[in-house]
């Protein structure tokens, strides 16, 4: 690499440093509007002395969502038509996350040429906008005004610029995710304030579906008599509350969630779980589920979101689901406690009624059997007896379970 001081512009690196700081400040605190990208492209083309420059920003599916250029007039751009699709050499930059520096791009076998009305270009310097292997877009420059090919210094400057832009994008997205999480949680908290029981679960799934822009959300509880079966407590499908259902965990993505940890499938979830007929019926492609645990760590069920398309914002969905799962788990535990209390109350009432009937008839043995069987059921014991001490001080048994006397 040559000494920067020997280049045509001896202050290039100082200007680069200032431009990078300006870039980070702009992109970190503002939406990535086209005027900011235009400034980035113009600054970079000026630093390198390139006749043409362009910056393309991609979404999570590598679709071009923003594209600006320098050196081509609006009239020329209109004649050229739609922006580049990322095939050929530009696709190499994205898919292989590598820099391309070519003296004659037309001679590269990976080149697919230019569309009609596009000005001829020979020299190419293309750099991915990436951070830790996550490609966010691409920067490319063509044809220096002095006619020379791009050199190592040019590549170094553009690579620094691309890394700064990638970091600024990551920082901006992190802040955006935090704000979105706070906004979503605030909306959920407001909608669930003072709500319990069935209403709580319905509001939870409907609010999550709207906040996360997903097609399906459900919260499910493990059946007490069959821990491999889930009974849903609320289901939201396409923005509507629908009927609950019961399903087996075997062969479903939920099997890897219940009692374990959060599980995320960005795509192809139906192919990964071919035995889950419900996924096929619902047309599900993406899935994220998080487990529900009781206060003692006992598995209770799960909270899951599913989509017919990729989840719009997986990081936001993960943060929100984990927080909502804690509240949902507490409500499931409260629901189970209420159910257990009702069952015991009903059993005690049945015991009281049966004993009163037998005692009215003077049948002590029948009343004792009811009392003993009920006590065994309530306590979960296997052995026991019911009896009374006679006036002579001996034990008289009326009912025995689990042993032979």
């Amino acid at each position: 690499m040559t000494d920067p001081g020997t280049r045509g512009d001896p202050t290039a690196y100082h200007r680069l440093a200032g431009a990078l700081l300006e870039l980070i400040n702009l992109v970190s605190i503002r939406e990535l509007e086209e005027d900011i990208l235009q400034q980035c492209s113009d600054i970079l083309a000026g630093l390198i002395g390139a006749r043409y420059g362009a910056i393309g920003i991609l979404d999570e599916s590598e679709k071009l969502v923003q594209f600006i250029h320098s050196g081509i007039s609006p009239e020329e751009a209109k004649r050229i038509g739609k922006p580049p699709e990322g095939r050929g050499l530009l696709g190499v930059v994205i898919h292989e996350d590598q820099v391309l520096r070519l003296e004659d791009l037309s001679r590269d076998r990976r080149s697919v040429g230019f569309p009609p009305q596009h000005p001829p270009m020979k020299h190419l310097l293309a750099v991915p906008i990436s951070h830790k292997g996550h490609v966010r877009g691409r920067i490319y420059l063509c044809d220096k005004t002095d006619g020379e090919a791009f050199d190592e210094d040019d590549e170094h400057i553009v690579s620094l610029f691309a890394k700064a832009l990638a970091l600024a994008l990551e920082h901006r997205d992190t802040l955006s995710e935090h704000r979105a999480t706070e906004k979503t949680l605030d909306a959920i908290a407001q909608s669930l304030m003072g709500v319990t029981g069935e209403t709580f679960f319905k509001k939870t799934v409907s609010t999550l579906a709207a906040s996360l822009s997903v097609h399906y959300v459900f919260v499910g509880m493990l059946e007490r008599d069959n821990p491999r079966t889930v009974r849903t407590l609320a289901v939201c499908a396409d923005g509507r509350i629908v009927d609950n259902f019961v399903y087996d965990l075997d062969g479903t993505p939920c099997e890897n969630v219940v009692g374990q940890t959060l599980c995320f499938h960005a795509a192809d979830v139906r192919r990964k779980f071919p035995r889950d007929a419900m996924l096929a019926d619902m047309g599900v492609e993406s899935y994220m589920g998080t487990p529900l645990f009781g206060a003692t760590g006992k598995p209770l069920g799960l909270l899951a979101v599913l989509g017919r398309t990729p989840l719009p914002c997986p990081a936001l969905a993960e943060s929100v689901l984990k927080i909502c799962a804690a509240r949902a788990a507490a409500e499931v535990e409260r629901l189970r406690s209420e159910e257990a209390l009702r069952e015991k109350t009903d059993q005690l009432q049945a015991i009281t009624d049966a004993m009163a009937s037998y005692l009215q008839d003077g049948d002590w043995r029948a009343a004792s059997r009811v009392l003993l069987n009920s006590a065994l059921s309530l306590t979960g014991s296997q052995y026991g007896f019911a009896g009374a001490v006679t006036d002579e001080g001996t034990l008289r048994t009326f009912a025995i379970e689990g042993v032979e006397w």
Side-chain angles (χ1 to χ4, degrees):
M1 182 178 294
T2 60
D3 182 352
T6 65
R7 294 173 60 89
D9 183 0
T11 63
Y13 277 82
H14 295 292
R15 293 170 59 202
L16 173 63
L20 293 179
L21 288 174
E22 181 181 357
L23 166 67
I24 293 172
N25 288 332
L26 284 173
V27 179
S28 296
I29 62 177
R30 293 178 55 186
E31 293 297 321
L32 194 58
E33 299 168 355
E34 288 193 3
D35 64 321
I36 298 178
L37 278 180
Q38 189 67 61
Q39 291 181 50
C40 293
S41 180
D42 294 344
I43 290 172
L44 191 56
L47 284 171
I48 300 301
R51 189 180 305 278
Y52 304 106
I55 297 177
I57 304 298
L58 309 176
D59 63 12
E60 292 294 331
S61 62
E62 296 188 355
K63 178 182 177 181
L64 187 68
V65 292
Q66 285 181 293
F67 178 77
I68 60 91
H69 50 79
S70 302
I72 295 179
S73 69
E75 292 76 18
E76 289 178 306
K78 186 176 181 180
R79 288 197 298 269
I80 293 171
K82 61 183 181 180
E85 298 177 351
R87 297 181 296 114
L89 294 172
L90 298 183
V92 173
V93 176
I94 296 301
H95 301 307
E96 299 183 17
D97 191 13
Q98 71 175 52
V99 175
L100 288 181
R101 180 158 55 89
L102 304 175
E103 292 193 9
D104 189 346
L105 58 89
S106 65
R107 294 186 178 181
D108 193 292
R109 59 183 177 80
R110 296 166 294 184
S111 175
V112 294
F114 295 107
Q117 307 300 321
H118 196 287
M121 297 179 182
K122 181 179 181 181
H123 303 136
L124 172 69
L125 175 58
V127 178
I129 303 169
S130 67
H131 178 61
K132 295 182 178 179
H134 181 198
V135 179
R136 308 295 302 270
R138 57 182 175 253
I139 298 174
Y140 54 96
L141 304 168
C142 288
D143 296 349
K144 298 178 73 170
T145 55
D146 61 7
E148 296 294 323
F150 296 105
D151 58 24
E152 291 183 8
D153 286 336
D154 299 323
E155 180 179 329
H156 181 64
I157 290 175
V158 178
S159 295
L160 285 176
F161 204 98
K163 289 178 181 178
L165 181 54
L167 288 171
L169 288 170
E170 292 285 344
H171 178 64
R172 184 209 60 179
D173 288 350
T174 299
L175 293 178
S176 178
E177 288 172 6
H178 286 328
R179 287 193 294 267
T181 300
E182 291 175 0
K183 183 178 179 180
T184 301
L185 290 175
D186 183 62
I188 293 173
Q190 291 294 327
S191 67
L192 300 179
M193 188 175 298
V195 178
T196 59
E198 181 181 356
T199 303
F200 165 81
F201 293 117
K202 287 182 177 179
K203 279 187 171 290
T204 296
V205 296
S206 59
T207 304
L208 281 174
S211 300
L212 301 177
S213 300
V214 293
H215 297 99
Y216 304 99
V217 183
F218 71 85
V219 57
M221 178 174 68
L222 292 176
E223 294 277 42
R224 286 188 295 176
D225 57 348
N226 185 358
R228 298 296 300 170
T229 300
V230 171
R231 170 168 56 93
T232 63
L233 300 171
V235 183
C236 183
D238 294 317
R240 298 183 300 108
I241 297 296
V242 298
D243 293 339
N244 284 309
F245 54 87
V246 177
Y247 69 98
D248 292 329
L249 286 172
D250 293 340
T252 71
C254 303
E255 184 178 18
N256 301 322
V257 175
V258 173
Q260 298 183 57
T261 188
L262 182 138
C263 185
F264 173 48
H265 298 279
D268 296 329
V269 68
R270 284 183 295 172
R271 181 181 58 80
K272 296 174 184 176
F273 298 90
R275 292 168 51 198
D276 192 339
M278 192 178 300
L279 292 179
D281 294 340
M282 297 162 68
V284 171
E285 283 297 323
S286 56
Y287 171 98
M288 182 180 290
T290 191
L292 306 182
F293 292 102
T296 61
K298 182 179 180 181
L300 298 176
L302 78 159
L303 177 62
V305 298
L306 306 90
R308 291 191 288 268
T309 55
L311 293 183
C313 186
L316 172 63
E318 180 175 344
S319 298
V320 172
L321 276 188
K322 286 181 176 179
I323 293 173
C324 289
R327 173 73 169 88
E331 191 62 24
V332 168
E333 208 159 34
R334 190 189 67 80
L335 183 65
R336 279 193 164 181
S337 297
E338 287 186 352
E339 288 180 352
L341 181 60
R342 281 196 299 271
E343 289 177 4
K344 290 187 177 181
T345 300
D346 292 343
Q347 288 177 330
L348 288 172
Q349 186 61 51
I351 294 170
T352 301
D353 294 344
M355 288 185 63
S357 175
Y358 286 125
L359 289 174
Q360 188 175 2
D361 297 335
D363 192 343
W364 281 90
R365 289 189 178 277
S368 298
R369 282 196 298 274
V370 171
L371 177 62
L372 177 59
N373 289 331
S374 299
L376 293 174
S377 176
L378 289 171
T379 61
S381 301
Q382 293 179 289
Y383 310 104
F385 69 89
V389 178
T390 65
D391 293 339
E392 292 79 19
T394 60
L395 178 64
R396 181 184 179 187
T397 60
F398 297 109
I400 301 173
E401 288 293 336
V403 294
E404 294 185 1
W405 284 26

